[in-house]
């Protein structure tokens, strides 16, 4: 294996999910083939960067109930290498979303955990050696605790507007 190529996320609200990844994470839309159903490919704005998040809606995203599933289920989270810890945290807070923070023991890695509108948990990983400002807040209630969920679907309704 060489690397992870992309993560495909099913959504019941393509516009909200697309808006979240663009406004909160700063991803941009990449060219997507016409698969015959709605979707978006998102990735870094860096020249030549691949589309690492594939979002799809409509027929293929719908389960037996006619609705797209939500949450990460057996996959606990998707981790994305990121820069700009404090700016990212400020965008999350300004959007009224909840998040958790973490310092990876024995490393310089800082993390923010947040959910996307479909309930997929994201781990945003930053190299603290290159970040300015205070490290993650590890106080109870703010520190990430593995296996616990803090997803609130209602908080993401604003992305649908």
């Amino acid at each position: 294996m060489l690397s992870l190529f992309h993560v495909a996320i099913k959504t019941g609200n393509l516009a909200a999910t697309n808006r979240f990844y663009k406004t909160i994470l700063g991803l941009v839309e990449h060219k997507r083939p016409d698969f015959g159903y709605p979707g978006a490919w998102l990735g870094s704005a860096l020249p030549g960067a691949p589309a690492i998040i594939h979002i799809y809606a409509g027929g293929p995203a719908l389960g037996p109930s006619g609705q797209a599933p939500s949450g990460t289920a057996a996959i606990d989270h998707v981790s994305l290498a990121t820069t700009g810890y404090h700016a990212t945290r400020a965008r999350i807070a300004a959007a009224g979303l909840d998040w958790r923070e973490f310092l990876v023991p024995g490393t310089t890695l800082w993390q923010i955990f947040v959910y996307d509108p479909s309930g997929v948990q994201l781990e945003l990983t930053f190299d603290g050696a290159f970040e300015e400002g205070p490290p993650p807040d590890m106080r109870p209630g703010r520190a990430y605790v593995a296996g616990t969920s803090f997803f609130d679907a209602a908080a993401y309704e604003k992305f649908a507007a």
Side-chain angles (χ1 to χ4, degrees):
M1 185 183 96
L2 299 175
S3 71
L4 179 66
F5 193 64
H6 69 264
V7 173
I9 298 172
K10 298 175 182 180
T11 183
N13 191 324
L14 179 60
T17 303
N18 201 10
R19 190 171 296 112
F20 168 85
Y21 281 99
K22 288 177 172 181
T23 61
I24 300 298
L25 300 185
L27 298 182
V28 297
E29 229 167 306
H30 287 241
K31 184 170 174 40
R32 177 182 180 266
D34 182 1
F35 291 109
Y37 54 88
W41 283 7
L42 304 170
S44 170
L46 294 172
I52 58 168
I53 303 289
H54 293 188
I55 304 166
Y56 64 101
L62 305 179
S65 68
Q67 294 185 324
S70 65
T72 47
I75 296 175
D76 184 70
H77 62 269
V78 174
S79 181
L80 302 171
T82 314
T83 60
Y85 184 87
H86 293 284
T88 301
R89 189 175 67 188
R91 284 192 304 275
I92 293 167
L97 303 177
D98 199 1
W99 75 93
R100 297 294 183 268
E101 304 179 33
F102 196 70
L103 283 167
V104 179
T107 74
T108 60
L109 299 180
W110 297 5
Q111 297 174 324
I112 295 174
F113 288 81
V114 66
Y115 291 88
D116 81 356
S118 296
V120 174
Q121 184 174 229
L122 304 173
E123 173 193 280
L124 310 177
T125 301
F126 307 78
D127 187 340
F130 298 100
E131 297 291 333
E132 295 186 13
D137 183 351
M138 295 295 288
R139 291 178 294 173
R142 182 52 62 205
Y144 173 74
V145 177
T148 61
S149 176
F150 53 94
F151 179 62
D152 176 11
Y156 294 82
E157 291 174 1
K158 64 183 79 44
F159 288 97

